[in-house]
Amino acid sequence: MIKKIKSYLKDKELPKWFKILNLSILLPILLWPLIFFATIFFFDNPHNLFYTFLLFLFVNAYPFYLAILALINIKLYTWNKLIGLILPIIFLGAASFCIGYYIYNIYDIGGVLIKNTQLEIQNNKNGILGNGFIKKNNQIFLNDTIIKGADAETFEIISYDWSKDKSHYYYFGKPVHEIDYSSFKFLDYHYAKDKYHVFYDNIIIEGADAKTFYHIEGSQDGKDARNCYRYGEKVDCSVLINPI
């Protein structure tokens, strides 16, 4: 076989362009590693091991069939040049189609990824934020009511009742102007505070000391250095379940 290939390459009677074109018949050999890998699965629970092994050998020997076919095609070319061009053109056309189809799929997948990215960006600009808040056309809505002045780019939800943007905190969509923005902190169970005030919902707890106030975890209770609170109201500290 090797001698025939060498003589084929040295054959001066065949034009160079035909030699190159005729080699296109051998292009499927490039897929042999993939074919070999695929045929390994023939042995997954075979009905007949002997016939499966023969099939495995037959399929993986296809490079020899192509080489023989390429040599036969040389004979066809010397007999009739037009007939000798048919097989190489078919193989070359099939290879071109496969490459083109592969490139198209890559382009198509890339297009889908771009569309998904654009859709994701669009959903970030327009979409449901949660707790009834909707971002649409660079505005924030609570259900069907627009929150005037809310900055859509920086708007975020903090809890079921609290949200904020770059300038304000909102309680159920209404700005609470008494809040010191830089120091505000939502505690839990309706309690929140900044460096000046303690809040229960959006109501300032009169007399509560913001510096020492803390919420008692798992309860509706809070405490500062002077008083105890339940549901935002002053109570006797003895009623607290778990004062710290």
Side-chain angles (χ1 to χ4, degrees):
M1 182 68 71
I2 296 176
K3 290 181 179 180
K4 288 185 178 181
I5 294 173
K6 287 183 177 180
S7 62
Y8 164 72
L9 295 174
K10 294 179 180 180
D11 193 338
K12 296 181 180 180
E13 295 183 2
L14 296 173
K16 288 184 180 180
W17 63 266
F18 174 76
K19 291 179 182 179
I20 296 172
L21 184 63
N22 196 49
L23 288 174
S24 64
I25 295 175
L26 304 179
L27 285 174
I29 294 177
L30 298 174
L31 300 175
W32 186 84
L34 294 176
I35 300 298
F36 177 79
F37 177 77
T39 54
I40 292 175
F41 295 97
F42 287 177
F43 297 98
D44 286 351
N45 193 25
H47 294 292
N48 188 303
L49 186 58
F50 176 73
Y51 289 118
T52 301
F53 184 71
L54 289 179
L55 179 61
F56 174 80
L57 292 178
F58 176 79
V59 173
N60 282 286
Y62 81 91
F64 294 100
Y65 314 146
L66 294 176
I68 293 170
L69 191 60
L71 293 173
I72 292 174
N73 194 60
I74 295 171
K75 301 293 184 182
L76 289 176
Y77 179 78
T78 57
W79 176 65
N80 187 303
K81 290 181 173 55
L82 184 61
I83 294 176
L85 294 176
I86 293 175
L87 275 178
I89 290 174
I90 290 174
F91 275 87
L92 192 61
S96 300
F97 174 80
C98 292
I99 293 171
Y101 184 74
Y102 177 74
I103 293 173
Y104 171 78
N105 279 338
I106 292 176
Y107 175 79
D108 191 47
I109 291 172
V112 170
L113 291 175
I114 291 172
K115 288 179 181 178
N116 288 340
T117 302
Q118 291 174 341
L119 182 60
E120 185 177 348
I121 293 172
Q122 187 66 22
N123 287 337
N124 288 335
K125 292 182 178 179
N126 301 292
I128 297 172
L129 302 179
N131 296 349
F133 289 102
I134 301 170
K135 184 188 295 186
K136 184 178 181 182
N137 298 329
N138 208 34
Q139 293 179 312
I140 300 296
F141 294 79
L142 179 57
N143 299 321
D144 58 350
T145 303
I146 188 171
I147 302 178
K148 294 182 179 179
D151 181 67
E153 293 298 322
T154 59
F155 190 88
E156 60 179 287
I157 297 171
I158 299 173
S159 66
Y160 177 75
D161 38 13
W162 287 99
S163 54
K164 72 172 185 175
D165 63 13
K166 66 180 182 179
S167 303
H168 298 93
Y169 280 87
Y170 302 86
Y171 182 78
F172 285 111
K174 295 182 178 180
V176 182
H177 297 291
E178 295 84 0
I179 287 176
D180 178 69
Y181 187 91
S182 62
S183 63
F184 182 80
K185 182 181 180 181
F186 175 70
L187 300 177
D188 209 352
Y189 281 81
H190 301 269
Y191 287 102
K193 72 175 185 176
D194 60 19
K195 66 181 179 180
Y196 301 114
H197 306 103
V198 178
F199 297 84
Y200 186 81
D201 292 334
N202 62 331
I203 305 300
I204 295 175
I205 302 176
E206 295 295 337
D209 179 42
K211 291 182 179 180
T212 60
F213 182 90
Y214 61 90
H215 166 250
I216 298 174
E217 187 176 352
S219 72
Q220 289 284 354
D221 300 337
K223 191 176 185 302
D224 63 17
R226 297 187 296 267
N227 299 296
C228 298
Y229 306 87
R230 175 166 290 175
Y231 298 105
E233 301 288 339
K234 286 182 184 180
V235 295
D236 191 293
C237 289
S238 63
V239 305
L240 299 187
I241 297 173
N242 187 29
I244 300 176

